[in-house]
């Protein structure tokens, strides 16, 4: 398969909100007259009669009942919340919930090249990682979009989502593996009747991040309401915006190892601040050693001398000097907004065979194309020979200086100006089909509910990279010389004229020729992997009321489930190794799961119920495990309900953790000076990630205790408080490459040194493998409050949620525990101390106003780190010293105005105007670093926590009839 080389657009001046923005917004507004075909609705029409209370299933429990309240706390986002913001994708909206931390978005996953994680929107709870959150659709699992088990939230039909229920505690006994942190359950309106059409669009105040979406839903009942048909189709397109073109990203704000630090001079070991840049490369190439050190190449024939800032021999950073020069061409080259194009279709058919038996079939299809750039990848340690033809022809003064100094070569660092930026172009097709039946029957004068279904999910992924060179071709091409006729050729072509090598110019800012780029990019044949992920699920459940007890009926739910997860694919052997990025290998493997569960709800006395569940699970890879849960509800007094749970949960290793074939990626680490290693300093290497088939399920014990207050003296008000604590043992995880280096050379844990491999004195590879080695403990509490009441001529609705992360400690059992609660840097487990979301609605028919305040409190780089400017204690791996350990929090305001209007066939339409980040608040600068060669290319903040786009405007129009 050939993939055309993509030439990136160089970052330029920011656009302002202008004619382009106005045209985009009018795209939706212009469609509104199409819906205005009925007279204006009369004010104050009588509302429809309230529907009778129906049987419901509460997330976190399999018990079915009329208004049953589970003891497990559940946060709910309803249709009104979703409609008020008309999100471009529902995952960005759900991620606003305070209990959610450590999620991924298509924007912050653009670096997932070799692992093909780019473009995924995911959800993680409690700062425990995405893999410990179970995502359900109507209480059923959905097939993953990556080998790591991540469900892409974009595959869920957004227009059919009636509400999102988030259970913030262990739920493995009810739903099975992965529910250690909790469950996010997307409830679909499968019984919808009518027609809904919608269109929305959005753009930033800078004229970028443009997107639009069209959707249509139709639901009909036929044959005396026995046959129900439901269809939904939607299309979404988000324009790609290359480069982080924002003023706040031009500060050179990073975290580095202090070049002046010694263990005894009282200086902090780490520095964060602005005016920092790389010390080892420039856009067109920097000579990094020898008598010509500091000479850097500009356009043909032009050179300059770098003014070095404060640095040290092995430090890849410098403070001051020509820091803007070294950043130029590399800074902010990561994609601000990836291309995201999605087509989704959903079809459901249900037929009532008898009043007590219904059969149904459900099918969904989602095609997603995501493309983004990773970084303008720098190259260090590039050796340029004295007879290099491009050096001699374009920079004769440098060649002469080399001759005068007797130099046979120079060593150069370059961020490769003129090279297209490496990135990914990924297409995923997700198919999900469900066949089932449900109904009820009477047994001993009790009604029993039953449900059986078979689900088949398939994800077909085409994972292609762009602008990734082959190392072998690059090595040949950059060794360019003159032949006997004075032509520039590859040195290798002198002895092998037919080898097809095209010489490449790696010096200067003019960039190489198109022919040379085509050669190093393998004639357009770029790394490509095709993967197929399959999930099969068969389940049967029965629930009802078994017999009467003095305080009420004993309710139960029991069932069995079988599940198979498997991965397979294909990769051309030429893409297995030898590439800058995308050393793909085939992941192959499968496992089966057999489960049975029983859940009971026992009324002990009036107002006090105990809920208990147990589940036995057999994994084909690791054998039997058991999970259980015990919870209680007590209506202590009128208006006050107490609740609590104890649970024992598991998470089994996913396909990636078990079967990863060793896919490699290019990375960099810092080996400290003075280390007993063949090389020190900032070094590039190939990182190999392997699976481990000996992994066993990790185990979690958790408990919650809370109260719900609904006072009769304040109608419309409710308040809940829930404390939680989760302890995980035998946690599955991997030590990062930099942690491996630190353990070996800084903390002298010799068992990790064999994972670091050198070849001919040069760092070659670092191997990473997941193991059951860690413990994790997290605790905190959630507060949720709501109030509604008539105010003036309308109705006021207030809703607030906040989560306080008291502790989130990860103990790898090797070095030292790390508490990530209150840490505001990027990372799987990092979570603010306090996160909140406040929402206010004011309905004054036919207009609804909405205002949202969302944010989080100040945090730190490390809870154990010591902030000092002088007289610092000796820095250690655990108690690092840093000049400024504080990171400011942020609060964002969103607002919307919804106008209801009449539409065709006595329908109702809505035109909604939304502004997110109303104050256009810039993100707080966060010093990323010091390791990783991609740091300057990324946003100089934590983009998974702060808003990097700025103020955005959205218009949504929808009609329903």
């Amino acid at each position: 398969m050939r993939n055309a080389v993509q030439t990136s657009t160089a970052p330029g001046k920011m656009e302002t909100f202008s004619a382009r923005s106005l045209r985009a917004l009018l795209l939706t507004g212009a469609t509104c007259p199409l819906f205005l075909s009925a007279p204006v609705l009369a004010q104050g029409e009588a509302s429809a009669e309230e529907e009778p209370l129906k049987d419901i299933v509460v997330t976190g429990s399999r018990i079915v009942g009329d208004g049953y309240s589970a003891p497990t706390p559940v946060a709910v986002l309803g249709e009104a919340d979703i409609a008020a913001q008309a999100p471009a994708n529902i995952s960005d909206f759900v991620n606003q919930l305070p209990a959610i931390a450590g999620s991924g978005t298509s924007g912050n996953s653009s670096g997932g090249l070799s692992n093909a994680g780019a473009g995924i929107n995911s959800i993680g709870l409690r700062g425990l990682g995405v893999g410990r959150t179970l995502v359900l659709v109507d209480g059923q699992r959905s097939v993953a979009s990556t080998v790591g088990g991540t469900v892409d939230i974009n595959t869920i039909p957004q227009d059919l989502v009636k509400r999102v229920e988030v259970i913030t505690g262990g739920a493995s006994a009810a739903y099975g593996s992965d529910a250690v942190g909790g469950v996010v359950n997307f409830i679909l309106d499968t019984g919808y009747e009518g027609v809904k059409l919608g269109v929305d669009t959005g753009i930033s105040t800078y004229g970028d991040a443009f997107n639009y979406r069209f959707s249509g839903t139709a639901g009909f009942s036929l044959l005396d309401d026995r046959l129900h048909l439901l269809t939904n189709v939607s299309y979404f397109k988000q324009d790609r915006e290359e480069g982080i073109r924002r003023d706040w990203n031009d500060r050179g704000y990073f975290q580095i190892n202090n070049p002046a630090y010694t263990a005894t001079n009282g200086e902090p070991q780490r520095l964060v601040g602005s005016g920092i840049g790389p010390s080892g490369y420039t856009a067109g190439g920097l000579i990094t050693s020898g008598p010509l050190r500091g000479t850097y190449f500009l356009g043909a024939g032009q050179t300059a001398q770098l003014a070095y800032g404060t640095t040290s021999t092995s430090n890849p950073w410098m403070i001051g000097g020509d820091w803007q020069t070294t950043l130029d061409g590399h800074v902010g080259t990561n994609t601000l907004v990836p291309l995201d194009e999605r087509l989704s279709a959903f079809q459901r058919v249900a037929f009532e065979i008898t009043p007590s038996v219904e059969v149904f079939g459900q099918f969904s299809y989602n095609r997603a194309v995501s493309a983004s750039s990773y970084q303008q990848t720098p190259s260090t340690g590039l050796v340029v020979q004295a007879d290099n033809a491009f050096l001699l022809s374009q920079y004769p003064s440098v060649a002469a200086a080399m001759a005068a100094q007797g130099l046979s070569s120079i060593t150069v660092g370059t961020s490769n100006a003129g090279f297209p930026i490496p990135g990914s172009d990924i297409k995923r097709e997700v198919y999900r089909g469900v066949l089932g039946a449900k109904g009820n029957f009477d047994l001993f004068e009790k009604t029993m509910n039953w449900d059986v279904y078979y689900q088949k999910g398939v994800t077909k992924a085409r994972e292609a990279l762009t602008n990734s060179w082959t190392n072998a071709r690059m090595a040949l091409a950059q060794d360019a010389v003159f032949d006997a006729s004075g032509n520039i050729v590859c040195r290798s072509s002198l002895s092998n004229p037919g080898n097809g090598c095209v010489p490449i110019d790696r010096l200067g800012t003019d960039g190489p020729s198109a022919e040379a780029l085509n050669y190093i990019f393998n004639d357009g044949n770029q790394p490509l992997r095709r993967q197929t992920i399959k999930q099969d699920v068969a389940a049967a459940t029965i629930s009802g009321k078994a017999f009467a007890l003095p305080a009420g009926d004993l309710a139960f739910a029991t069932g069995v489930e079988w599940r198979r997860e498997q991965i397979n694919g294909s990769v051309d052997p030429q893409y297995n190794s030898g590439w800058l990025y995308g050393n793909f290998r085939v992941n192959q493997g499968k496992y089966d799961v057999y489960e049975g569960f029983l859940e009971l709800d026992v009324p002990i006395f009036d107002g006090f119920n105990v809920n208990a569940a147990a589940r036995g699970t057999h994994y084909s890879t690791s054998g039997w495990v058991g999970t259980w849960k015990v919870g209680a509800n007590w209506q202590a007094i009128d208006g006050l309900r107490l609740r609590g749970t104890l649970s024992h949960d598991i998470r089994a290793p996913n396909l990636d953790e078990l079967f990863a074939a060793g896919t490699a990626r290019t990375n960099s680490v810092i080996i400290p000076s003075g280390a007993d290693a063949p090389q020190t300093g900032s070094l590039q290497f190939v990182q190999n990630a392997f699976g481990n088939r000996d992994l066993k399920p990790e185990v979690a014990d958790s408990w919650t205790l809370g109260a719900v207050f609904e006072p009769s003296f304040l109608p419309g008000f409710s308040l809940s408080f829930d404390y939680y604590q989760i302890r995980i043992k035998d946690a599955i995880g991997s030590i990062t490459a930099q942690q491996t280096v630190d353990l070996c050379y800084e903390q002298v844990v010799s068992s990790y040194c064999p994972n670091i491999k050198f070849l001919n004195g040069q760092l070659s590879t670092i191997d990473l493998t997941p193991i059951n080695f860690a413990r994790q403990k997290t605790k905190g509490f959630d507060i949720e409050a709501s109030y509604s009441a008539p105010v003036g001529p309308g109705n006021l609705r207030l809703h607030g949620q906040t989560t306080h992360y008291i502790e989130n400690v990860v103990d790898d059992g090797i070095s030292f525990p790390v508490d990530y609660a209150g840490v505001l840097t990027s990372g799987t487990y990092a979570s603010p101390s306090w996160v909140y979301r406040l929402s206010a609605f004011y309905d004054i028919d036919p207009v609804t106003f909405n205002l949202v305040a969302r944010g989080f409190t100040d945090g730190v780089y490390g809870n154990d780190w010591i902030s000092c400017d002088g007289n610092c204690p000796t820095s250690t791996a655990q108690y690092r010293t840093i000049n400024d350990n504080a990171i400011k929090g942020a609060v964002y305001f969103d607002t919307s105005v919804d106008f209801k209007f009449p539409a065709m066939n006595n329908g109702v339409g809505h035109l909604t105007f939304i502004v997110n980040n109303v104050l256009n608040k810039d993100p707080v600068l966060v010093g990323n670093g010091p390791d990783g060669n991609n740091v300057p290319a990324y946003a100089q903040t934590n983009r998974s926590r702060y808003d990097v786009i700025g103020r955005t405007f959205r218009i949504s129009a929808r009609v329903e009839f």
Side-chain angles (χ1 to χ4, degrees):
M1 175 63 70
R2 294 171 60 87
N3 302 306
V5 173
Q6 298 179 356
T7 303
S8 61
T9 303
K13 186 178 180 180
M14 284 191 301
E15 297 182 44
T16 59
F17 185 71
S18 59
R20 180 190 172 198
S21 308
L22 184 60
R23 287 195 301 270
L25 290 174
L26 289 177
L27 175 67
T28 298
T31 65
C32 296
L34 299 176
F35 304 140
L36 298 173
S37 59
V40 177
L41 289 174
Q43 295 285 333
E45 287 186 325
S47 62
E49 293 183 3
E50 292 186 3
E51 294 184 5
L53 195 61
K54 297 180 179 179
D55 282 354
I56 60 172
V57 178
V58 180
T59 302
S61 171
R62 300 278 189 172
I63 301 290
V64 177
D66 52 352
Y68 166 72
S69 295
T72 309
V74 179
V76 178
L77 282 174
E79 286 181 286
D81 297 280
I82 299 170
Q85 291 196 7
N89 61 74
I90 199 169
S91 64
D92 287 347
F93 180 60
V94 175
N95 278 323
Q96 293 181 9
L97 282 173
I100 291 177
S103 303
T105 68
S106 59
N108 65 29
S109 63
S110 58
L113 301 186
S114 298
N115 66 3
I120 292 292
N121 283 272
S122 59
I123 291 178
L125 283 164
R126 300 299 193 203
L128 294 174
V130 170
R132 297 188 179 110
T133 297
L134 179 60
V135 175
L136 302 175
V137 180
D138 283 335
Q140 300 170 351
R141 290 177 181 264
S142 188
V143 62
S145 292
T146 71
V147 67
T150 303
V151 175
D152 188 355
I153 306 305
N154 292 330
T155 62
I156 296 169
Q158 177 171 327
D159 298 287
L160 290 176
V161 175
K162 184 163 55 176
R163 65 185 185 276
V164 182
E165 297 180 346
V166 180
I167 171 174
T168 51
S172 293
Y175 291 105
S177 179
D178 303 335
V180 171
V183 173
V184 179
N185 192 7
F186 292 84
I187 308 298
L188 305 184
D189 190 2
T190 56
Y192 175 78
E193 292 191 14
V195 175
K196 287 192 291 188
L197 300 175
V199 56
D200 57 71
T201 185
I203 198 166
S204 81
T205 195
Y206 303 106
D208 53 25
F210 174 64
N211 60 74
Y212 60 90
R213 191 170 68 95
F214 300 96
S215 64
T217 303
F220 301 96
S221 290
L222 304 170
L223 302 178
D224 296 328
D225 293 337
R226 294 175 63 193
L227 176 66
H228 185 258
L229 307 175
L230 179 62
T231 299
N232 171 259
V233 178
S234 66
Y235 174 79
F236 172 80
K237 175 72 178 294
Q238 176 177 269
D239 285 354
R240 180 174 178 171
E241 185 63 27
E242 284 300 316
I244 305 172
R245 294 181 287 185
R246 297 290 190 266
D247 290 341
W248 51 262
N249 204 54
D250 296 332
R251 312 287 177 80
Y253 196 92
F254 302 105
Q255 178 187 162
I256 67 171
N257 288 318
N258 183 358
Y261 169 78
T262 69
T264 58
N265 68 356
E267 290 272 343
Q269 184 186 22
R270 293 281 174 88
L271 296 177
V272 291
S274 56
I276 295 173
S279 63
Y281 55 84
T282 61
L286 170 71
I287 301 176
T288 57
S289 61
L292 301 183
R293 179 177 180 264
T295 301
Y296 65 93
F297 299 90
L298 297 165
Q302 299 178 329
T303 61
Q305 189 67 29
L306 186 73
Y308 279 97
T310 304
T311 187
S312 58
T313 303
S314 61
N315 199 320
W317 301 94
M318 66 182 188
I319 306 167
D322 290 338
W323 62 272
Q324 291 170 309
T325 299
T326 59
L327 279 177
D328 185 40
H330 188 202
V331 67
T333 51
N334 183 245
T335 297
L336 177 67
V337 181
L339 168 70
D340 192 358
E341 186 176 16
R342 303 193 302 267
L343 175 65
S344 301
F346 177 92
Q347 177 69 58
R348 191 177 195 273
V349 179
F351 182 69
E352 188 179 280
I353 299 176
T354 71
S356 58
V357 177
E358 178 186 275
V359 295
F360 63 91
Q362 186 172 297
F363 175 78
S364 62
Y365 169 77
N366 182 278
R367 186 192 70 194
V369 175
S370 178
S372 59
S373 297
Y374 174 40
Q375 67 157 331
Q376 186 71 63
T377 306
S379 302
T380 56
L382 168 63
V383 176
V384 179
Q385 301 296 333
D387 61 351
N388 183 279
F390 294 108
L391 174 70
L392 294 170
S393 60
Q394 296 178 14
Y395 303 97
S397 61
V398 176
M402 291 177 63
Q405 294 286 342
L407 300 177
S408 60
S409 65
I410 53 175
T411 301
V412 172
T414 174
S415 57
N416 295 304
F419 283 69
I421 302 175
S424 62
D425 186 356
I426 298 178
K427 176 183 177 181
R428 297 184 183 89
E429 294 181 286
V430 179
Y431 307 80
R432 182 174 182 264
V434 183
L435 293 175
K438 60 183 179 180
N440 59 75
F441 61 91
D442 291 334
L443 181 66
F444 303 118
E445 299 182 348
K446 300 288 185 181
T447 299
M448 302 293 165
N449 299 285
W450 58 271
D451 186 341
V452 296
Y453 72 91
Y454 169 74
Q455 172 188 306
K456 178 74 172 183
V458 178
T459 296
K460 293 182 178 293
R462 179 188 179 276
E463 302 161 355
L465 297 194
T466 56
N467 308 321
S468 180
W469 65 64
T470 69
N471 297 326
R473 286 195 175 196
M474 176 62 90
L476 295 176
Q478 67 192 21
D479 190 11
V481 296
F482 288 111
D483 66 7
S485 301
N487 300 312
I488 299 179
V489 298
C490 302
R491 190 187 305 271
S492 61
S493 297
L494 296 177
S495 57
N496 185 10
N499 68 353
C501 181
V502 180
I504 194 167
D505 182 7
R506 300 204 67 182
L507 299 176
T509 54
D510 294 337
S513 67
E515 294 78 12
L517 289 173
N518 192 55
Y519 173 72
I520 65 168
F521 291 148
N522 199 35
D523 304 319
N525 295 292
Q526 290 283 280
L528 174 66
R529 175 170 59 188
R530 299 182 185 275
Q531 289 199 122
T532 300
I533 302 169
K534 295 181 180 180
Q535 181 188 70
D536 296 85
V537 181
T541 304
I542 184 170
S543 63
K545 296 178 179 178
F547 50 83
L549 294 173
D553 289 335
L554 182 146
F556 76 96
T558 186
V560 293
E561 182 175 311
W562 166 81
R563 177 163 52 96
R564 171 172 291 173
E565 307 275 359
Q566 54 187 318
I567 176 73
N568 207 337
S570 62
V571 177
D572 190 310
Q574 69 172 314
Y575 304 133
N576 289 159
S577 61
W579 293 82
L580 174 66
Y581 301 115
N583 298 286
F584 289 139
R585 297 180 187 176
V586 178
N587 296 308
Q588 293 178 312
K590 69 177 181 179
Y591 63 84
D592 291 333
V593 185
Y594 299 88
E595 301 184 271
F597 75 92
L598 173 66
E599 182 178 3
L600 301 175
D601 185 65
V602 185
I604 304 300
F605 53 83
D606 188 28
F608 186 87
N609 283 47
V610 172
N611 177 269
R615 176 180 291 256
T617 304
H618 182 269
Y619 290 93
S620 60
T621 53
S622 55
W624 283 100
V625 291
T627 58
W628 53 265
K629 179 191 75 172
V630 176
N633 258 314
W634 180 30
Q635 192 71 45
I637 58 175
D638 186 32
L640 178 62
R641 180 165 59 91
L642 305 179
R643 61 190 181 190
T645 63
L646 292 171
S647 68
H648 181 76
D649 304 288
I650 61 162
R651 183 184 78 86
N654 59 46
L655 292 168
D656 184 55
E657 291 164 336
L658 288 168
F659 305 115
T663 294
R665 61 176 291 242
T666 302
N667 204 347
S668 69
V669 293
I670 298 175
I671 297 180
S673 58
D676 184 16
Q679 267 186 308
T680 60
S682 179
L683 306 171
Q684 289 188 348
F685 69 101
V686 174
Q687 177 177 301
N688 292 315
F690 297 93
N692 180 1
R693 302 193 182 197
D694 294 327
L695 290 172
K696 59 184 180 180
E698 57 188 28
V699 177
D701 292 300
S702 64
W703 61 277
T704 66
L705 184 63
V708 181
F709 182 49
E710 297 175 305
S712 58
F713 59 82
L714 187 58
F717 176 78
S718 67
L719 173 68
S720 67
F721 173 92
D722 290 283
Y723 175 88
Y724 69 89
Q725 185 177 109
I726 304 172
R727 293 176 180 266
I728 305 172
K729 65 179 182 179
D730 294 328
I732 300 168
S734 296
I735 296 294
T736 68
Q738 186 62 53
Q739 287 174 318
T740 302
V741 167
D742 292 343
L743 286 167
C744 175
Y745 297 115
E746 188 175 12
Q747 300 175 50
V748 198
V749 182
S750 59
S751 59
Y752 279 84
C753 296
N755 294 338
I756 307 169
K757 297 179 173 59
F758 293 85
L759 181 64
N760 298 324
Q762 305 290 312
L763 179 62
S764 175
T765 61
I766 297 178
D767 295 337
L768 307 178
T769 303
I771 56 175
N772 292 101
F773 66 93
R775 292 177 178 267
Q776 187 166 357
K777 176 186 176 183
T778 182
K779 63 182 180 181
F781 57 80
D782 304 312
I783 301 174
E784 184 169 358
S786 61
Y787 178 68
S788 61
V791 175
N795 292 300
L796 177 67
R797 290 176 288 140
L798 303 175
H799 186 214
Q801 296 167 296
T802 185
T803 294
H804 178 35
Y805 293 89
I806 299 173
E807 182 181 74
N808 190 12
V809 177
V810 177
D811 184 357
D812 58 25
I814 303 164
S815 52
F816 50 84
V818 178
D819 184 4
Y820 289 95
V823 173
L824 292 185
T825 58
S826 301
T828 299
Y829 308 116
S831 55
S833 180
W834 288 88
V835 191
Y836 54 88
R837 185 181 190 272
L838 309 172
S839 177
F841 288 89
Y842 188 64
D843 302 310
I844 217 177
D845 194 45
V847 181
T848 298
F849 300 91
N850 174 240
L851 178 64
V852 173
R854 53 185 171 89
F856 49 92
T857 55
D858 297 351
V860 296
Y861 286 91
N863 280 304
D864 290 335
W865 291 18
I866 301 169
S867 185
C868 55
D869 278 324
N871 296 317
C872 298
T874 300
S875 186
T876 66
Q878 181 173 4
Y879 301 103
R880 292 197 188 276
T881 53
I882 186 170
N883 65 320
D884 185 1
N885 194 33
I887 303 175
K888 290 288 186 182
V891 57
Y892 300 99
F893 294 96
D894 309 322
T895 187
S896 69
V897 181
D898 177 79
F899 298 91
K900 185 167 64 175
F901 59 87
M904 61 188 77
N905 297 327
N906 296 318
V908 176
H910 291 267
L911 180 61
T912 309
F913 298 88
I914 308 107
V915 183
N916 292 323
N917 191 359
V918 174
L919 302 180
N920 195 29
K921 187 179 182 67
D922 287 342
V924 171
L925 297 182
V926 177
N928 298 313
D931 57 285
N933 69 353
N934 57 6
V935 170
Y938 276 29
Q940 293 167 33
T941 186
N942 175 2
R943 69 179 298 170
S944 63
R945 182 58 64 181
Y946 296 92
D947 183 351
V948 299
I949 304 299
R951 183 192 297 118
T952 57
F953 302 89
R954 298 192 61 76
I955 293 180
S956 172
R958 61 192 190 279
V959 292
E960 184 173 359
F961 50 86

